[in-house]
Amino acid sequence: MDDVEKAILISFDESGAIDSELKLQAVNFCQKIKETPSICSLCIEKLCFCKLVQVQFWCLQALQEVIRVKYGSMSLEEKNFIRKSIFSIACLEGINDKMCVVLDSPAFIKNKLSQVLVTLIYFEYPLIWSSVFVDFLPHLSKGAVVIDMFSRLLNALDDELVSMDYPRTAEEVAVAGRVKDAMRNQCVPQIVRAWYDIVSMYRNTDPETCVTVLDCMRRYVSWIDIGLIVNDAFIPLLFELILVDGLLEQLRAAAAGCVLAVVSKRMDAHSKLSLLKSLQISRVFGLVSDDNDSDLVSAIAALITGYAVEVLECSKRVNTEDAKVISMELLDEVLPTVFYVMQNCEMDAAFSIVQFLSGYVATMKTHSSLQENQMLHISQILEVIRTQIRYDPMYRNNLDMVDMIGVEEESRMLEFRKDLFVLLRNVGRVAPEVTRIFIRNSLASAISSSSDKNAEEVEAALSLLYALGETMSDEAMRVGNGLLSELVTNLLSTRFPCHSNRLVALVYLETIARYMKFIQENVQCIPLVLAAFLDERGIHHPNIYVSRRASYLFMRIVKLLKSKLVPFIETILQSLQDVVARFTSMNLASREPAGSEDGAYVFEAIGLLIGMEDVSLEKQSDYLSSLLTPLCQQVEVTLMNAKALNPDESSLQLANIQQIIVAINALSKGFSERLVTSSRPAIGHMFKQTLDVLLQILVVFPKVEPLRTKVLSFIHRMVDTLGASVFPYLPKALEQLLAESEPKEMVGFLLLLNQLICKFSTLVRDILEEVFPTIAGRVFCAIQRVVDSSVTETNTEEIRELQELQKTLYTFLHVIATHDLSSVFLSPRSRDYLTSIMQLLLHTSCHHKDIVTRKACVQIFIKLIKDWCAKSSGEEKVPGFKSFIIETFATNCCLYSVLDKSFEFGDANTLVLFGEIVLAQKVMYEKFGDDFLVHFVSKGFPSPQNLAEQYCQKLKGNDIKALRSYYQSLIEHLRVQQNGSLVFR
């Protein structure tokens, strides 16, 4: 072993036994050898004499790199030497009377040798080395070793150059075209003849070699003359190989792969149809009923589905009636086997079941009525859908426990089913009655054979019924035919043994909810619906995910049925007693920890039921009192004992209070403002007492943010429920909420004020004047930190909260201005902040990146001008405001900000902002007259004078659209004139 071989072995070592520095030296040594002029002869010599596979691989790799990089600078002698040597090695010829050992090496060495040959072909075929393929053919008589090498060469040519399955450069595409054209003209017929002879000769003695040849041939069918394969010799041979029992299975599968390549070849639709008919593909149908996991069955399945796809495509493209008839006959012949394959065989990844079946169903839409065989096919398509949407039983426990594997499988199936349900809808449109009967039978089958072991079949049948409901209009569901009535009745009256399964229970409840429009019109079904949701199939299901979902769906059902449920209120409340007791019980220590939202939907459903005016006042009061009284008592007890609690107890109590607030909040949603304030004020009094109790939470636990958030949410609810009668409670509530000044807290506070203003308008003036100075002081102090770069770098979450506060502030100011409350800004305690507010609004209206926010600020200015400025030149309501608007707002916002090229007239939101800016000018002219006009024109309009005159004319007119259009063209003109710089300021 010489130094070169030692260095190569060391550089390839992966055992870790070699010192890293020594390995680096070896790699550098090998790299230097590559750069020597004699590298090619050295590599050929090593390939001839050295049996070490590492050395062989390195030498072939080096040769390939040298050819790729230095081919253009090589001498003719060197090129001839490499070409002759590599070809001799590949053909099992000696070099200098020495036989090369490369073809006895492992497959990866022979693959690398084929890549070196392809690199030479890239540069030399056909102009320099035109005979490479023809010269190879005589050597195939040497037997399997050379045949294998020739197949590897053709495979490498496909992989490295010809196949369009990989991204190619423009140069590679051009070279591939050149190589294919030359091969077609020169040697493809001889190569195909060689393939035929080899397979015929070796089929019994060396089937592995035949497999290699056929797998190679399959790659080339797509671009060679199809007549070389589709003839009286080759096609019978391929089918004989497929059909003869006893041959090597891989050989039969390889032959099927070649026939699939023939079937898939692009050609004229009529020619393709003739080809497909001539193949008599039905002779292979029987092969798919054998062992479904074998390579042969997979190959036959791929052939049959590929054939069906091509026939379907032909049926769309042929334009004669005879051809259409033939294509449909071929489809009818192949479809039963396709359906079998879809349900029983491992499908080829390239075949889309949904795409194919959707294409077939689409052909039926053109028929006025379906034939008997098409009806049969529809039933088989529905069976395929049912099979495909079924979960695999191996994931049953994972799906029930909702572990990571279960979550992934459920997500995968959810995505996978989408297209199948689209297909189901299409089938339902083509054959609605067949679809409904199939779903009825599926459900009946699931019911009759139901056991714990067939949960997946039940889930699939219920999912089909749910999907059917999605395809029906509300009107069709309300009317409901006999079959629909039978389906829903069977659904409601069935108790599946596998109902404990999470997926079965969920889809069962979802399906009932889907058919509620039918149940609305068929009230005799209501007791069955209530039973399903209130027993162990729904809210009392042992699986928490099912019971939670059942609570939500039950609330929706109550919202839909409402007054129809009045006779059942007692029954419902009795059934929900244990759920309610988890909240109303005083034994807090016995409660299991739960999320704060648990039970909310149950309380909302109860609120919707007992909040109806159909319920008598006496009963309504009793129901509500039985719920609110124990809940409020728990809160009061907790508040009284707050100081005596240890940290663990305190944490549990706070969580319980959160749950109670959520429950009361949800309960109150069923009571309308009219009922609690006008028709039944006694009910309103109960909610006022509850509000009084819950407001104490803010006093006792002023720093607990989750509690404050929940109480704030309840105040929002009471504003809607109690209306103006909530006013006496607001001062205390607002005072406690204002005790905290964190940005997140202030956002919630401002949203509450926005709600109050929008609901009560000027009635909240006194309250607003009281709290506004405190709000302004805190908010302006907080948002000043947005521009602090150190805060930006250290706490992006804080910056996000401050930005949210700033955004809410703009909305708050806008709501004040647009609800006739601008006088709040002028109250004695608020005037100190007036300048800051004006400067903030001005800067935002000119520069804020959010166009909608800029528009809101301009609208605020318009409203303030209308409110604070009289047309007469008497005493100013707000001293200095007029001059600020004319000299600062008008010039900066209405002119300079619009002249900036970042103001894009092509943007829809920007155009809306522009409309408000033009309206502002109109309002300023109406209020200030020539004072505004003279100043605005003098500051913003350069010569010629006629621009100013036209502007004045448009402004004084009554056509706001004409003014806006003219002002836009004026701004665009000024932009061109000043070329991006405001030289006339």
Side-chain angles (χ1 to χ4, degrees), residues 703-833:
K703 301 286 186 183
V704 183
E705 191 268 337
L707 276 183
R708 293 171 61 84
T709 303
K710 293 291 185 290
V711 174
L712 180 62
S713 175
F714 184 65
I715 296 170
H716 276 291
R717 169 54 47 198
M718 288 300 98
V719 169
D720 281 338
T721 304
L722 295 174
S725 62
V726 81
F727 271 41
Y729 301 89
L730 289 178
K732 177 183 174 182
L734 297 177
E735 179 188 348
Q736 294 301 323
L737 289 170
L738 260 181
E740 280 299 308
S741 58
E742 286 301 309
K744 200 172 177 183
E745 299 269 355
M746 286 303 298
V747 167
F749 187 77
L750 292 178
L751 291 175
L752 174 60
L753 289 176
N754 285 348
Q755 181 193 16
L756 289 168
I757 295 167
C758 291
K759 186 170 180 67
F760 302 115
S761 195
T762 54
L763 293 176
V764 295
R765 188 188 310 277
D766 292 344
I767 293 173
L768 207 53
E769 286 183 357
E770 183 64 32
V771 298
F772 185 80
T774 308
I775 294 170
R778 289 187 185 173
V779 172
F780 279 111
C781 179
I783 62 177
Q784 193 61 39
R785 289 148 60 193
V786 176
V787 295
D788 184 349
S789 60
S790 63
V791 176
T792 306
E793 291 167 7
T794 56
N795 194 338
T796 53
E797 178 60 23
E798 184 180 357
I799 286 296
R800 192 195 62 75
E801 288 182 2
L802 290 170
Q803 288 170 339
E804 183 64 24
L805 174 59
Q806 190 176 39
K807 184 178 178 181
T808 310
L809 173 65
Y810 294 129
T811 306
F812 177 56
L813 296 174
H814 187 270
V815 169
I816 290 175
T818 54
H819 285 79
D820 298 321
L821 287 165
S822 61
S823 60
V824 170
F825 300 138
L826 305 179
S827 67
R829 290 174 55 216
S830 300
R831 270 189 182 264
D832 291 346
Y833 299 101

Side-chain angles (χ1 to χ4, degrees), residues 115-305:
Q115 288 173 3
V116 175
L117 270 168
V118 168
T119 307
L120 281 169
I121 289 168
Y122 184 95
F123 288 107
E124 298 192 344
Y125 182 78
L127 299 178
I128 298 169
W129 191 11
S130 60
S131 61
V132 52
F133 299 106
V134 175
D135 289 346
F136 217 123
L137 293 173
H139 295 281
L140 299 179
S141 60
K142 294 176 181 176
V145 173
V146 179
I147 294 170
D148 175 77
M149 191 61 228
F150 185 58
S151 297
R152 289 180 192 276
L153 168 61
L154 292 176
N155 289 345
L157 183 66
D158 184 61
D159 286 336
E160 303 292 323
L161 188 61
V162 172
S163 173
M164 288 295 115
D165 291 340
Y166 310 99
R168 307 289 188 197
T169 65
E171 181 187 344
E172 287 170 339
V173 171
V175 173
R178 184 190 74 208
V179 168
K180 288 194 291 186
D181 287 343
M183 288 181 72
R184 286 190 194 102
N185 292 331
Q186 183 201 42
C187 58
V188 164
Q190 295 94 307
I191 292 173
V192 173
R193 181 69 205 186
W195 286 334
Y196 179 84
D197 291 341
I198 292 166
V199 172
S200 300
M201 186 185 301
Y202 288 94
R203 53 187 286 187
N204 294 314
T205 57
D206 190 354
E208 287 85 0
T209 294
C210 296
V211 171
T212 302
V213 168
L214 290 175
D215 283 341
C216 173
M217 179 180 114
R218 171 182 54 79
R219 294 168 174 249
Y220 282 75
V221 170
S222 65
W223 60 269
I224 64 175
D225 177 9
I226 195 64
L228 297 171
I229 307 294
V230 180
N231 51 49
D232 294 339
F234 226 134
I235 289 295
L237 173 62
L238 290 173
F239 273 98
E240 189 179 341
L241 293 173
I242 294 170
L243 295 168
V244 172
D245 201 16
L247 284 178
L248 182 73
E249 192 174 271
Q250 286 87 342
L251 174 56
R252 299 172 73 187
C258 289
V259 177
L260 175 58
V262 169
V263 163
S264 306
K265 187 173 175 68
R266 292 182 183 178
M267 61 178 76
D268 167 73
H270 289 273
S271 303
K272 169 68 76 72
L273 193 61
S274 299
L275 166 62
L276 295 173
K277 187 179 179 183
S278 71
L279 291 177
Q280 300 172 36
I281 202 75
S282 59
R283 44 190 161 159
V284 305
F285 291 170
L287 297 177
V288 292
S289 59
D290 298 335
D291 178 11
N292 292 333
D293 293 329
S294 71
D295 290 342
L296 174 61
V297 170
S298 296
I300 297 298
L303 170 58
I304 290 169
T305 53

